[in-house]
Amino acid sequence: MLSGEVTARAKDSRGAVESIRTLRMVRDSAVKARTAALMQLQDFLVTAPASLRESIDAKTGRAKARQCRALRPDLTRVDEPLQAAKLALRSLARRITALDEEVGEVDRQLNSLVKTHAPTLLANVGVGTHNAAQLLITAGQNIDRLTSDAAFARLCGVAPIPASSGRIQRMRLHRRGDGQANRALHMIVVCRLPYDQRTKDYMARRRAEGLSKKEVLRCLKRFVARDVFYDLRKDLLQNRA
């Protein structure tokens, strides 16, 4: 960049897409912390005093957290393992509740931002708030820096590359690029398969031609990348205007 040899344009970090990126980063860390707290709570119950462990009889981690939140430890007897265990479990349960509220608040803000700035993208089958948010982040506010849907597909790691050997003719996906965008496109394809007739017809036709399901999914990810690129371009350029 300093020498002037790089011709690619950097992402613009002054618009709503940067706000979406920031909120996604905070949400991901909160979800990770919540998962860790749930796992710690369930692991702790394994070694908790038998009477306490048997009183927490819920089947799921969330239900166990609700029961643990209702525990009432005697803080004057924390030197007793039973009371200390109650206090620890209640603290973990309260942490999980707080993180649930944090994730919910961030999700509400993300929903509002994505609906405002990418309505065309959200109208696609299988495209939800979080997948749309990730694709917005990958494309960037100044999407016109990407010259074509092929460039976007390469950026997302779904550009096909020849990988034939002898009589076997096949393609593989470009292994570099944004892994989170690749995952978002994969989830869109998986969501479309049971509901979108075009996707089901394409899967059936290509399987009849001898392609494996994994190979057809790779093709579909490339097609979805083309669709979402032009929807993203329309939404972002309209908002700029």
mmCIF file of all heavy atoms in Angstrom, residues 116-168:
data_model
loop_
_atom_site.group_PDB
_atom_site.id
_atom_site.type_symbol
_atom_site.label_atom_id
_atom_site.label_comp_id
_atom_site.label_asym_id
_atom_site.label_seq_id
_atom_site.Cartn_x
_atom_site.Cartn_y
_atom_site.Cartn_z
ATOM 1 N N THR A 116 -33.047 -2.566 6.971
ATOM 2 C CA THR A 116 -32.989 -1.226 6.389
ATOM 3 C C THR A 116 -32.036 -1.161 5.203
ATOM 4 O O THR A 116 -32.344 -0.518 4.189
ATOM 5 C CB THR A 116 -32.540 -0.210 7.466
ATOM 6 O OG1 THR A 116 -33.474 -0.229 8.541
ATOM 7 C CG2 THR A 116 -32.459 1.198 6.883
ATOM 8 N N HIS A 117 -30.900 -1.824 5.312
ATOM 9 C CA HIS A 117 -29.846 -1.653 4.319
ATOM 10 C C HIS A 117 -29.732 -2.797 3.306
ATOM 11 O O HIS A 117 -28.978 -2.670 2.345
ATOM 12 C CB HIS A 117 -28.501 -1.457 5.025
ATOM 13 C CG HIS A 117 -28.439 -0.198 5.827
ATOM 14 N ND1 HIS A 117 -28.152 1.022 5.266
ATOM 15 C CD2 HIS A 117 -28.676 0.044 7.147
ATOM 16 C CE1 HIS A 117 -28.185 1.964 6.199
ATOM 17 N NE2 HIS A 117 -28.506 1.397 7.348
ATOM 18 N N ALA A 118 -30.446 -3.914 3.515
ATOM 19 C CA ALA A 118 -30.374 -5.014 2.541
ATOM 20 C C ALA A 118 -31.730 -5.690 2.377
ATOM 21 O O ALA A 118 -31.834 -6.919 2.510
ATOM 22 C CB ALA A 118 -29.312 -6.029 2.971
ATOM 23 N N PRO A 119 -32.791 -4.935 2.047
ATOM 24 C CA PRO A 119 -34.123 -5.554 1.909
ATOM 25 C C PRO A 119 -34.215 -6.516 0.732
ATOM 26 O O PRO A 119 -34.895 -7.538 0.817
ATOM 27 C CB PRO A 119 -35.049 -4.346 1.725
ATOM 28 C CG PRO A 119 -34.167 -3.261 1.178
ATOM 29 C CD PRO A 119 -32.825 -3.480 1.811
ATOM 30 N N THR A 120 -33.534 -6.206 -0.366
ATOM 31 C CA THR A 120 -33.571 -7.085 -1.535
ATOM 32 C C THR A 120 -32.894 -8.416 -1.230
ATOM 33 O O THR A 120 -33.391 -9.483 -1.599
ATOM 34 C CB THR A 120 -32.867 -6.424 -2.732
ATOM 35 O OG1 THR A 120 -33.387 -5.111 -2.923
ATOM 36 C CG2 THR A 120 -33.072 -7.236 -3.998
ATOM 37 N N LEU A 121 -31.776 -8.358 -0.546
ATOM 38 C CA LEU A 121 -31.062 -9.582 -0.178
ATOM 39 C C LEU A 121 -31.903 -10.441 0.747
ATOM 40 O O LEU A 121 -31.986 -11.668 0.578
ATOM 41 C CB LEU A 121 -29.736 -9.218 0.496
ATOM 42 C CG LEU A 121 -28.858 -10.382 0.961
ATOM 43 C CD1 LEU A 121 -28.438 -11.245 -0.217
ATOM 44 C CD2 LEU A 121 -27.640 -9.863 1.704
ATOM 45 N N LEU A 122 -32.562 -9.828 1.728
ATOM 46 C CA LEU A 122 -33.370 -10.587 2.687
ATOM 47 C C LEU A 122 -34.589 -11.235 2.041
ATOM 48 O O LEU A 122 -35.139 -12.193 2.590
ATOM 49 C CB LEU A 122 -33.832 -9.674 3.822
ATOM 50 C CG LEU A 122 -32.840 -9.418 4.955
ATOM 51 C CD1 LEU A 122 -33.445 -8.455 5.967
ATOM 52 C CD2 LEU A 122 -32.441 -10.712 5.641
ATOM 53 N N ALA A 123 -35.022 -10.727 0.888
ATOM 54 C CA ALA A 123 -36.194 -11.292 0.218
ATOM 55 C C ALA A 123 -35.897 -12.640 -0.425
ATOM 56 O O ALA A 123 -36.823 -13.352 -0.816
ATOM 57 C CB ALA A 123 -36.703 -10.319 -0.845
ATOM 58 N N ASN A 124 -34.623 -13.014 -0.522
ATOM 59 C CA ASN A 124 -34.252 -14.294 -1.114
ATOM 60 C C ASN A 124 -34.614 -15.452 -0.198
ATOM 61 O O ASN A 124 -34.526 -15.341 1.029
ATOM 62 C CB ASN A 124 -32.741 -14.335 -1.381
ATOM 63 C CG ASN A 124 -32.369 -13.613 -2.649
ATOM 64 O OD1 ASN A 124 -32.479 -14.158 -3.735
ATOM 65 N ND2 ASN A 124 -31.920 -12.383 -2.513
ATOM 66 N N VAL A 125 -34.973 -16.582 -0.795
ATOM 67 C CA VAL A 125 -35.272 -17.794 -0.030
ATOM 68 C C VAL A 125 -34.007 -18.258 0.695
ATOM 69 O O VAL A 125 -32.936 -18.354 0.097
ATOM 70 C CB VAL A 125 -35.786 -18.917 -0.950
ATOM 71 C CG1 VAL A 125 -36.043 -20.197 -0.161
ATOM 72 C CG2 VAL A 125 -37.048 -18.476 -1.672
ATOM 73 N N GLY A 126 -34.132 -18.529 1.973
ATOM 74 C CA GLY A 126 -33.014 -19.070 2.736
ATOM 75 C C GLY A 126 -32.052 -18.043 3.299
ATOM 76 O O GLY A 126 -31.098 -18.414 3.982
ATOM 77 N N VAL A 127 -32.273 -16.761 3.018
ATOM 78 C CA VAL A 127 -31.369 -15.719 3.501
ATOM 79 C C VAL A 127 -31.974 -15.083 4.746
ATOM 80 O O VAL A 127 -32.991 -14.389 4.669
ATOM 81 C CB VAL A 127 -31.115 -14.639 2.425
ATOM 82 C CG1 VAL A 127 -30.164 -13.576 2.973
ATOM 83 C CG2 VAL A 127 -30.543 -15.268 1.168
ATOM 84 N N GLY A 128 -31.356 -15.342 5.892
ATOM 85 C CA GLY A 128 -31.793 -14.741 7.138
ATOM 86 C C GLY A 128 -30.906 -13.576 7.539
ATOM 87 O O GLY A 128 -29.958 -13.209 6.829
ATOM 88 N N THR A 129 -31.195 -13.020 8.690
ATOM 89 C CA THR A 129 -30.472 -11.828 9.142
ATOM 90 C C THR A 129 -28.979 -12.074 9.262
ATOM 91 O O THR A 129 -28.161 -11.274 8.796
ATOM 92 C CB THR A 129 -31.027 -11.357 10.495
ATOM 93 O OG1 THR A 129 -32.407 -10.998 10.333
ATOM 94 C CG2 THR A 129 -30.254 -10.152 11.011
ATOM 95 N N HIS A 130 -28.597 -13.178 9.879
ATOM 96 C CA HIS A 130 -27.182 -13.392 10.166
ATOM 97 C C HIS A 130 -26.383 -13.744 8.905
ATOM 98 O O HIS A 130 -25.243 -13.300 8.747
ATOM 99 C CB HIS A 130 -27.026 -14.466 11.239
ATOM 100 C CG HIS A 130 -27.631 -14.074 12.552
ATOM 101 N ND1 HIS A 130 -27.189 -12.979 13.267
ATOM 102 C CD2 HIS A 130 -28.675 -14.593 13.253
ATOM 103 C CE1 HIS A 130 -27.913 -12.851 14.361
ATOM 104 N NE2 HIS A 130 -28.825 -13.812 14.367
ATOM 105 N N ASN A 131 -26.979 -14.538 8.008
ATOM 106 C CA ASN A 131 -26.295 -14.809 6.739
ATOM 107 C C ASN A 131 -26.159 -13.533 5.913
ATOM 108 O O ASN A 131 -25.118 -13.280 5.306
ATOM 109 C CB ASN A 131 -27.057 -15.868 5.944
ATOM 110 C CG ASN A 131 -26.958 -17.248 6.566
ATOM 111 O OD1 ASN A 131 -26.000 -17.551 7.277
ATOM 112 N ND2 ASN A 131 -27.933 -18.094 6.315
ATOM 113 N N ALA A 132 -27.225 -12.736 5.887
ATOM 114 C CA ALA A 132 -27.175 -11.471 5.146
ATOM 115 C C ALA A 132 -26.134 -10.538 5.753
ATOM 116 O O ALA A 132 -25.388 -9.865 5.028
ATOM 117 C CB ALA A 132 -28.551 -10.803 5.156
ATOM 118 N N ALA A 133 -26.067 -10.485 7.084
ATOM 119 C CA ALA A 133 -25.083 -9.628 7.743
ATOM 120 C C ALA A 133 -23.669 -10.037 7.362
ATOM 121 O O ALA A 133 -22.816 -9.184 7.081
ATOM 122 C CB ALA A 133 -25.268 -9.696 9.259
ATOM 123 N N GLN A 134 -23.402 -11.342 7.352
ATOM 124 C CA GLN A 134 -22.058 -11.806 6.998
ATOM 125 C C GLN A 134 -21.716 -11.467 5.552
ATOM 126 O O GLN A 134 -20.587 -11.055 5.252
ATOM 127 C CB GLN A 134 -21.944 -13.311 7.215
ATOM 128 C CG GLN A 134 -20.575 -13.881 6.899
ATOM 129 C CD GLN A 134 -19.473 -13.195 7.674
ATOM 130 O OE1 GLN A 134 -19.505 -13.164 8.900
ATOM 131 N NE2 GLN A 134 -18.492 -12.638 6.976
ATOM 132 N N LEU A 135 -22.660 -11.616 4.643
ATOM 133 C CA LEU A 135 -22.392 -11.300 3.242
ATOM 134 C C LEU A 135 -22.174 -9.801 3.051
ATOM 135 O O LEU A 135 -21.344 -9.389 2.227
ATOM 136 C CB LEU A 135 -23.544 -11.801 2.369
ATOM 137 C CG LEU A 135 -23.700 -13.333 2.338
ATOM 138 C CD1 LEU A 135 -24.979 -13.727 1.626
ATOM 139 C CD2 LEU A 135 -22.490 -13.990 1.679
ATOM 140 N N LEU A 136 -22.895 -8.984 3.796
ATOM 141 C CA LEU A 136 -22.661 -7.538 3.763
ATOM 142 C C LEU A 136 -21.246 -7.219 4.241
ATOM 143 O O LEU A 136 -20.544 -6.400 3.643
ATOM 144 C CB LEU A 136 -23.682 -6.820 4.643
ATOM 145 C CG LEU A 136 -25.082 -6.623 4.075
ATOM 146 C CD1 LEU A 136 -26.053 -6.252 5.186
ATOM 147 C CD2 LEU A 136 -25.078 -5.548 2.991
ATOM 148 N N ILE A 137 -20.828 -7.858 5.322
ATOM 149 C CA ILE A 137 -19.492 -7.613 5.873
ATOM 150 C C ILE A 137 -18.424 -8.017 4.868
ATOM 151 O O ILE A 137 -17.431 -7.311 4.665
ATOM 152 C CB ILE A 137 -19.323 -8.381 7.192
ATOM 153 C CG1 ILE A 137 -20.257 -7.814 8.256
ATOM 154 C CG2 ILE A 137 -17.882 -8.329 7.676
ATOM 155 C CD1 ILE A 137 -20.411 -8.702 9.488
ATOM 156 N N THR A 138 -18.616 -9.154 4.224
ATOM 157 C CA THR A 138 -17.631 -9.641 3.255
ATOM 158 C C THR A 138 -17.544 -8.719 2.045
ATOM 159 O O THR A 138 -16.443 -8.410 1.564
ATOM 160 C CB THR A 138 -17.999 -11.062 2.798
ATOM 161 O OG1 THR A 138 -18.044 -11.929 3.945
ATOM 162 C CG2 THR A 138 -16.981 -11.601 1.811
ATOM 163 N N ALA A 139 -18.698 -8.267 1.560
ATOM 164 C CA ALA A 139 -18.705 -7.393 0.383
ATOM 165 C C ALA A 139 -18.156 -6.013 0.707
ATOM 166 O O ALA A 139 -17.430 -5.414 -0.089
ATOM 167 C CB ALA A 139 -20.122 -7.285 -0.174
ATOM 168 N N GLY A 140 -18.487 -5.490 1.880
ATOM 169 C CA GLY A 140 -18.048 -4.150 2.241
ATOM 170 C C GLY A 140 -19.017 -3.082 1.775
ATOM 171 O O GLY A 140 -19.806 -3.296 0.853
ATOM 172 N N GLN A 141 -18.934 -1.929 2.406
ATOM 173 C CA GLN A 141 -19.831 -0.816 2.057
ATOM 174 C C GLN A 141 -19.647 -0.385 0.601
ATOM 175 O O GLN A 141 -20.612 -0.103 -0.103
ATOM 176 C CB GLN A 141 -19.555 0.367 2.979
ATOM 177 C CG GLN A 141 -20.539 1.503 2.859
ATOM 178 C CD GLN A 141 -21.858 1.200 3.538
ATOM 179 O OE1 GLN A 141 -21.901 0.665 4.629
ATOM 180 N NE2 GLN A 141 -22.952 1.538 2.871
ATOM 181 N N ASN A 142 -18.401 -0.326 0.144
ATOM 182 C CA ASN A 142 -18.115 0.083 -1.235
ATOM 183 C C ASN A 142 -18.009 -1.150 -2.119
ATOM 184 O O ASN A 142 -16.942 -1.524 -2.610
ATOM 185 C CB ASN A 142 -16.830 0.916 -1.300
ATOM 186 C CG ASN A 142 -15.661 0.239 -0.599
ATOM 187 O OD1 ASN A 142 -15.844 -0.623 0.267
ATOM 188 N ND2 ASN A 142 -14.446 0.619 -0.969
ATOM 189 N N ILE A 143 -19.158 -1.780 -2.359
ATOM 190 C CA ILE A 143 -19.180 -3.027 -3.121
ATOM 191 C C ILE A 143 -18.735 -2.831 -4.566
ATOM 192 O O ILE A 143 -18.359 -3.778 -5.252
ATOM 193 C CB ILE A 143 -20.585 -3.656 -3.060
ATOM 194 C CG1 ILE A 143 -20.545 -5.114 -3.554
ATOM 195 C CG2 ILE A 143 -21.597 -2.815 -3.827
ATOM 196 C CD1 ILE A 143 -21.835 -5.864 -3.347
ATOM 197 N N ASP A 144 -18.758 -1.589 -5.056
ATOM 198 C CA ASP A 144 -18.321 -1.344 -6.429
ATOM 199 C C ASP A 144 -16.826 -1.604 -6.618
ATOM 200 O O ASP A 144 -16.344 -1.611 -7.750
ATOM 201 C CB ASP A 144 -18.662 0.086 -6.853
ATOM 202 C CG ASP A 144 -18.173 1.116 -5.852
ATOM 203 O OD1 ASP A 144 -18.164 0.813 -4.642
ATOM 204 O OD2 ASP A 144 -17.799 2.224 -6.273
ATOM 205 N N ARG A 145 -16.090 -1.845 -5.535
ATOM 206 C CA ARG A 145 -14.679 -2.233 -5.669
ATOM 207 C C ARG A 145 -14.561 -3.645 -6.232
ATOM 208 O O ARG A 145 -13.511 -4.021 -6.747
ATOM 209 C CB ARG A 145 -13.978 -2.168 -4.313
ATOM 210 C CG ARG A 145 -14.435 -3.202 -3.327
ATOM 211 C CD ARG A 145 -13.991 -2.917 -1.901
ATOM 212 N NE ARG A 145 -14.528 -3.906 -0.986
ATOM 213 C CZ ARG A 145 -13.947 -5.058 -0.686
ATOM 214 N NH1 ARG A 145 -12.785 -5.356 -1.221
ATOM 215 N NH2 ARG A 145 -14.512 -5.906 0.144
ATOM 216 N N LEU A 146 -15.656 -4.437 -6.142
ATOM 217 C CA LEU A 146 -15.687 -5.775 -6.734
ATOM 218 C C LEU A 146 -16.256 -5.652 -8.141
ATOM 219 O O LEU A 146 -17.375 -5.196 -8.338
ATOM 220 C CB LEU A 146 -16.557 -6.713 -5.895
ATOM 221 C CG LEU A 146 -16.130 -6.885 -4.430
ATOM 222 C CD1 LEU A 146 -17.149 -7.717 -3.670
ATOM 223 C CD2 LEU A 146 -14.754 -7.519 -4.346
ATOM 224 N N THR A 147 -15.486 -6.053 -9.124
ATOM 225 C CA THR A 147 -15.838 -5.784 -10.519
ATOM 226 C C THR A 147 -16.905 -6.718 -11.084
ATOM 227 O O THR A 147 -17.531 -6.397 -12.087
ATOM 228 C CB THR A 147 -14.589 -5.881 -11.396
ATOM 229 O OG1 THR A 147 -13.991 -7.180 -11.224
ATOM 230 C CG2 THR A 147 -13.568 -4.816 -10.987
ATOM 231 N N SER A 148 -17.120 -7.885 -10.452
ATOM 232 C CA SER A 148 -18.075 -8.844 -10.997
ATOM 233 C C SER A 148 -18.474 -9.844 -9.928
ATOM 234 O O SER A 148 -17.890 -9.893 -8.838
ATOM 235 C CB SER A 148 -17.459 -9.604 -12.182
ATOM 236 O OG SER A 148 -16.367 -10.407 -11.728
ATOM 237 N N ASP A 149 -19.498 -10.663 -10.259
ATOM 238 C CA ASP A 149 -19.894 -11.714 -9.324
ATOM 239 C C ASP A 149 -18.804 -12.767 -9.183
ATOM 240 O O ASP A 149 -18.696 -13.432 -8.156
ATOM 241 C CB ASP A 149 -21.206 -12.362 -9.780
ATOM 242 C CG ASP A 149 -21.078 -13.042 -11.136
ATOM 243 O OD1 ASP A 149 -21.181 -12.332 -12.157
ATOM 244 O OD2 ASP A 149 -20.876 -14.267 -11.176
ATOM 245 N N ALA A 150 -17.953 -12.911 -10.212
ATOM 246 C CA ALA A 150 -16.833 -13.859 -10.123
ATOM 247 C C ALA A 150 -15.834 -13.415 -9.054
ATOM 248 O O ALA A 150 -15.302 -14.234 -8.304
ATOM 249 C CB ALA A 150 -16.149 -13.981 -11.473
ATOM 250 N N ALA A 151 -15.593 -12.109 -8.985
ATOM 251 C CA ALA A 151 -14.690 -11.587 -7.957
ATOM 252 C C ALA A 151 -15.277 -11.811 -6.571
ATOM 253 O O ALA A 151 -14.555 -12.160 -5.620
ATOM 254 C CB ALA A 151 -14.435 -10.105 -8.193
ATOM 255 N N PHE A 152 -16.598 -11.638 -6.444
ATOM 256 C CA PHE A 152 -17.251 -11.872 -5.152
ATOM 257 C C PHE A 152 -17.183 -13.348 -4.778
ATOM 258 O O PHE A 152 -16.930 -13.694 -3.618
ATOM 259 C CB PHE A 152 -18.700 -11.401 -5.215
ATOM 260 C CG PHE A 152 -19.471 -11.608 -3.957
ATOM 261 C CD1 PHE A 152 -19.185 -10.868 -2.811
ATOM 262 C CD2 PHE A 152 -20.489 -12.552 -3.895
ATOM 263 C CE1 PHE A 152 -19.902 -11.059 -1.637
ATOM 264 C CE2 PHE A 152 -21.203 -12.755 -2.731
ATOM 265 C CZ PHE A 152 -20.907 -12.006 -1.596
ATOM 266 N N ALA A 153 -17.403 -14.231 -5.760
ATOM 267 C CA ALA A 153 -17.325 -15.669 -5.500
ATOM 268 C C ALA A 153 -15.925 -16.067 -5.047
ATOM 269 O O ALA A 153 -15.754 -16.879 -4.139
ATOM 270 C CB ALA A 153 -17.729 -16.451 -6.747
ATOM 271 N N ARG A 154 -14.913 -15.474 -5.675
ATOM 272 C CA ARG A 154 -13.534 -15.748 -5.269
ATOM 273 C C ARG A 154 -13.271 -15.251 -3.847
ATOM 274 O O ARG A 154 -12.616 -15.921 -3.050
ATOM 275 C CB ARG A 154 -12.569 -15.080 -6.256
ATOM 276 C CG ARG A 154 -11.096 -15.399 -6.036
ATOM 277 C CD ARG A 154 -10.813 -16.867 -6.292
ATOM 278 N NE ARG A 154 -9.394 -17.156 -6.208
ATOM 279 C CZ ARG A 154 -8.581 -17.276 -7.245
ATOM 280 N NH1 ARG A 154 -9.063 -17.140 -8.478
ATOM 281 N NH2 ARG A 154 -7.308 -17.555 -7.084
ATOM 282 N N LEU A 155 -13.822 -14.091 -3.526
ATOM 283 C CA LEU A 155 -13.669 -13.533 -2.187
ATOM 284 C C LEU A 155 -14.329 -14.427 -1.144
ATOM 285 O O LEU A 155 -13.829 -14.549 -0.016
ATOM 286 C CB LEU A 155 -14.290 -12.136 -2.147
ATOM 287 C CG LEU A 155 -14.177 -11.349 -0.840
ATOM 288 C CD1 LEU A 155 -12.723 -11.093 -0.481
ATOM 289 C CD2 LEU A 155 -14.930 -10.034 -0.947
ATOM 290 N N CYS A 156 -15.444 -15.064 -1.507
ATOM 291 C CA CYS A 156 -16.166 -15.943 -0.585
ATOM 292 C C CYS A 156 -15.608 -17.369 -0.570
ATOM 293 O O CYS A 156 -16.091 -18.204 0.215
ATOM 294 C CB CYS A 156 -17.644 -16.001 -0.960
ATOM 295 S SG CYS A 156 -18.516 -14.441 -0.774
ATOM 296 N N GLY A 157 -14.653 -17.663 -1.420
ATOM 297 C CA GLY A 157 -14.079 -19.003 -1.455
ATOM 298 C C GLY A 157 -14.947 -20.029 -2.148
ATOM 299 O O GLY A 157 -14.861 -21.223 -1.854
ATOM 300 N N VAL A 158 -15.803 -19.597 -3.100
ATOM 301 C CA VAL A 158 -16.667 -20.547 -3.804
ATOM 302 C C VAL A 158 -16.416 -20.522 -5.315
ATOM 303 O O VAL A 158 -17.245 -20.996 -6.089
ATOM 304 C CB VAL A 158 -18.161 -20.281 -3.513
ATOM 305 C CG1 VAL A 158 -18.456 -20.491 -2.045
ATOM 306 C CG2 VAL A 158 -18.569 -18.880 -3.947
ATOM 307 N N ALA A 159 -15.282 -19.981 -5.745
ATOM 308 C CA ALA A 159 -14.952 -19.970 -7.160
ATOM 309 C C ALA A 159 -14.478 -21.366 -7.569
ATOM 310 O O ALA A 159 -13.632 -21.959 -6.896
ATOM 311 C CB ALA A 159 -13.860 -18.944 -7.444
ATOM 312 N N PRO A 160 -15.012 -21.921 -8.660
ATOM 313 C CA PRO A 160 -14.610 -23.273 -9.065
ATOM 314 C C PRO A 160 -13.212 -23.285 -9.679
ATOM 315 O O PRO A 160 -12.831 -22.386 -10.421
ATOM 316 C CB PRO A 160 -15.671 -23.652 -10.100
ATOM 317 C CG PRO A 160 -16.150 -22.346 -10.649
ATOM 318 C CD PRO A 160 -16.062 -21.359 -9.528
ATOM 319 N N ILE A 161 -12.461 -24.322 -9.349
ATOM 320 C CA ILE A 161 -11.107 -24.502 -9.870
ATOM 321 C C ILE A 161 -11.022 -25.915 -10.449
ATOM 322 O O ILE A 161 -11.436 -26.879 -9.791
ATOM 323 C CB ILE A 161 -10.053 -24.319 -8.761
ATOM 324 C CG1 ILE A 161 -10.104 -22.887 -8.229
ATOM 325 C CG2 ILE A 161 -8.657 -24.651 -9.258
ATOM 326 C CD1 ILE A 161 -9.182 -22.643 -7.057
ATOM 327 N N PRO A 162 -10.495 -26.094 -11.672
ATOM 328 C CA PRO A 162 -10.374 -27.446 -12.246
ATOM 329 C C PRO A 162 -9.516 -28.346 -11.365
ATOM 330 O O PRO A 162 -8.447 -27.953 -10.901
ATOM 331 C CB PRO A 162 -9.719 -27.195 -13.600
ATOM 332 C CG PRO A 162 -10.003 -25.759 -13.916
ATOM 333 C CD PRO A 162 -10.034 -25.051 -12.607
ATOM 334 N N ALA A 163 -10.017 -29.558 -11.129
ATOM 335 C CA ALA A 163 -9.262 -30.535 -10.336
ATOM 336 C C ALA A 163 -9.415 -31.911 -10.967
ATOM 337 O O ALA A 163 -9.601 -32.920 -10.288
ATOM 338 C CB ALA A 163 -9.748 -30.540 -8.897
ATOM 339 N N SER A 164 -9.324 -31.952 -12.310
ATOM 340 C CA SER A 164 -9.512 -33.196 -13.047
ATOM 341 C C SER A 164 -8.249 -34.041 -12.992
ATOM 342 O O SER A 164 -7.135 -33.547 -12.813
ATOM 343 C CB SER A 164 -9.887 -32.901 -14.499
ATOM 344 O OG SER A 164 -11.054 -32.103 -14.563
ATOM 345 N N SER A 165 -8.437 -35.335 -13.146
ATOM 346 C CA SER A 165 -7.318 -36.271 -13.163
ATOM 347 C C SER A 165 -7.656 -37.414 -14.104
ATOM 348 O O SER A 165 -8.610 -38.168 -13.871
ATOM 349 C CB SER A 165 -7.048 -36.809 -11.759
ATOM 350 O OG SER A 165 -6.005 -37.761 -11.777
ATOM 351 N N GLY A 166 -6.893 -37.542 -15.192
ATOM 352 C CA GLY A 166 -7.163 -38.596 -16.164
ATOM 353 C C GLY A 166 -8.532 -38.433 -16.799
ATOM 354 O O GLY A 166 -8.865 -37.373 -17.317
ATOM 355 N N ARG A 167 -9.328 -39.468 -16.725
ATOM 356 C CA ARG A 167 -10.664 -39.414 -17.304
ATOM 357 C C ARG A 167 -11.691 -38.798 -16.365
ATOM 358 O O ARG A 167 -12.837 -38.558 -16.753
ATOM 359 C CB ARG A 167 -11.130 -40.822 -17.685
ATOM 360 C CG ARG A 167 -10.270 -41.465 -18.776
ATOM 361 C CD ARG A 167 -10.806 -42.831 -19.131
ATOM 362 N NE ARG A 167 -10.021 -43.465 -20.194
ATOM 363 C CZ ARG A 167 -10.264 -44.682 -20.695
ATOM 364 N NH1 ARG A 167 -11.283 -45.388 -20.215
ATOM 365 N NH2 ARG A 167 -9.500 -45.173 -21.638
ATOM 366 N N ILE A 168 -11.302 -38.564 -15.140
ATOM 367 C CA ILE A 168 -12.232 -37.990 -14.167
ATOM 368 C C ILE A 168 -12.225 -36.472 -14.306
ATOM 369 O O ILE A 168 -11.199 -35.819 -14.102
ATOM 370 C CB ILE A 168 -11.829 -38.386 -12.729
ATOM 371 C CG1 ILE A 168 -11.865 -39.903 -12.570
ATOM 372 C CG2 ILE A 168 -12.753 -37.716 -11.724
ATOM 373 C CD1 ILE A 168 -11.394 -40.389 -11.221
#
